[in-house]
Amino acid sequence: MNKLYIGNVSAEASEEDFETIFEQWKIPHSGPFLVKTGYAFVDCPDEKAAMKAIDVLSGKVELHGKLLEVEHSVPKRQRSCKLQIRNIPPHMQWEVLDGMLAQYGGVESCEQVNTDTETAVVNVRYAAKDQARLAMEKLNGSMMENYALKVSYIPDETAAPEGPSAGGRRGYVARGTSRSGSPSLGTRPKMQSDIPLRILVPTQFVGAIIGKEGATIRNITKQTHSKIDIHRKENAGAAEKPITIHSTPEGCSNACTTIMEIMQKEALDTKFTEEIPLKILAHNNFVGRLIGKEGRNLKKIEQDTETKITISALQDLTVYNPERTITVKGTIEACARAEEELMKKIRESYESDMAAMNLQSNLIPGLNLNALGLFPSGAPGMGPSMSSIPPPGAHGGCSSFGGHPESETVHLFIPALAVGAIIGKQGQHIKQLSHFAGASIKIAPAEEVGATPQRRVTIAGPPEAQFKAQCRIFGKLKEENFFGPKEEVKLEAHIKVPSFAAGRVIGKGGKTVNELQNLTCAEVVVPRDQTPDENDQVIVKISGHFFACQLAQRKIQEILAQVKRQQQPKPTSGAQPPQPRRK
């Protein structure tokens, strides 16, 4: 179905006007124009012609002083789970797009459409109609890196029933392949992984891996389409040397298998009798999710691949070495299967973190994500997307991040059953978290909160410390499976505001608090009839997922900062600033 809807049509427009425009832009149509008051319809012979009309005319061509809006005409009964999103920044990365789309529901498929425009176009299928409708409402017209997104329904005559469909792609037809003009939004399986494979090999086998005049390593890189760095000069005299492999996941795995085979052959030739395990280096940020709650993820990989897997202790980490060593023992074939499963988990964690961080950089203006320390600067595997994160104050509007920001106190409420996971063995996790975030983190004793199913976590520190600490707590609850695999982690946070400023947070007739909720997607409540505490403060309750909570906290702090500035006495006219005393 290639019927088009043309909106924002002037009352003076006629069928002849549209005939002239379509002829001028060489856009074929297969029927007459049906012109109504304020809008029109027309059929195109194929999808290519319909897409050309949308790309060339929508928001770009005027008729009688009005910019035309052109999109697929979709009857309400066919408005199902499928959307088309146009005018996406050409350099936008898949991880960022995924993070943006996932805010509104489960994305079953996302395929790029082949067009002649500079910007990218994707077709998205959500798991349910209400999710697609919400994405349509929130994204259409929203700004992304100075590009206004355009979202429309795709006619879905084969729409699956409500809810997730079996296999995830039922009734979905990909509408194009990767565009050469959009390197970031390419077909995913062919993309080089942002995070490389890092392995440790015994120093005595490095020569065999390189080969005479580098012939062996050149052959490996050629066969596996990979870039391989052997860090021979690192850790002089060490028994093992790191190797970094940059390629697609398949290329990394193939290169790793070849290196293991070379080492085994060299061991036989040199009568080296010790077992040569596969040793993978992984950033500590990903290891918790790799292990899973009670070690379930790791145990499953061991069982599925018939290997024995161990991970180096936390105590081995230093500021200069944030990587843990994952040791895999088994046959070469078994180790190769284990490497694929392990790296799949690590890449998923990395992509999730990067999507979250890139999205957060748009949500909270002025927040210096590059300084948050979630990844060490220049660490292997940190993708180019980090370099685009703005420095502090680049966007303005969030002055609390400039200079020496004031400390804030947030009370975060977590499931009582999750307290042990946050504290860690002998308090190790909460100490590390406090040190990492640069914040004071205290959990209220059980007797203080009574029989409630939640415990209060008090976090004190400046905005970036709040972001880091809360981010880790939300993430820990997810990776420890306190929320379901498809369930979003949503927590309640309380912040205290001066009682005289509570009205400013609410706004006249609740206008400000309603705007806050619409903007942040968080639930913001200022309970009525509160008795101010001894410091004349009242509580504001914020509930939602991590991004929503963070943005709501920042916006409320902006309101408080504005109130504080207005409370400051203004200098009297003609008053001179005090002059320094001469010596």
Side-chain angles (χ1 to χ4, degrees), residues 151-200:
V151 187
S152 59
Y153 282 103
I154 298 174
D156 191 2
E157 295 165 5
T158 59
E162 286 274 16
S165 59
R169 291 178 183 261
R170 181 179 169 193
Y172 185 85
V173 180
R175 295 177 179 258
T177 54
S178 165
R179 296 190 302 118
S180 59
S182 182
S184 295
L185 279 171
T187 307
R188 299 179 204 205
K190 296 181 181 178
M191 288 176 66
Q192 175 172 310
S193 173
D194 276 340
I195 189 163
L197 171 62
R198 297 251 301 158
I199 61 175
L200 277 178

Side-chain angles (χ1 to χ4, degrees), residues 17-72:
D17 290 330
F18 288 112
E19 291 276 5
T20 302
I21 288 173
F22 272 61
E23 186 178 339
Q24 178 186 345
W25 292 98
K26 296 182 172 59
I27 302 169
H29 57 95
S30 54
F33 288 88
L34 181 61
V35 182
K36 302 285 186 179
T37 305
Y39 62 94
F41 295 101
V42 68
D43 284 318
C44 288
D46 52 36
E47 173 69 12
K48 185 177 179 182
M51 281 303 303
K52 183 177 181 181
I54 292 170
D55 290 337
V56 170
L57 304 180
S58 188
K60 298 173 184 174
V61 173
E62 275 192 15
L63 179 59
H64 297 298
K66 285 193 167 188
L67 275 176
L68 298 177
E69 296 173 0
V70 185
E71 59 187 53
H72 289 285

Side-chain angles (χ1 to χ4, degrees), residues 499-559:
S499 60
F500 63 82
R504 291 289 293 273
V505 176
I506 297 169
K508 190 175 181 180
K511 183 184 177 185
T512 305
V513 78
N514 287 335
E515 287 176 352
L516 267 175
Q517 293 185 124
N518 292 333
L519 172 69
T520 66
C521 297
E523 183 182 348
V524 182
V525 177
V526 184
R528 294 181 179 274
D529 304 323
Q530 286 190 74
T531 302
D533 63 13
E534 65 276 8
N535 297 316
D536 197 31
Q537 292 182 319
V538 293
I539 291 171
V540 177
K541 296 181 178 180
I542 303 165
S543 302
H545 59 73
F546 174 69
F547 299 130
C549 279
Q550 283 297 301
L551 188 53
Q553 288 174 40
R554 298 272 54 80
K555 292 299 178 184
I556 290 170
Q557 292 296 343
E558 282 183 19
I559 293 171

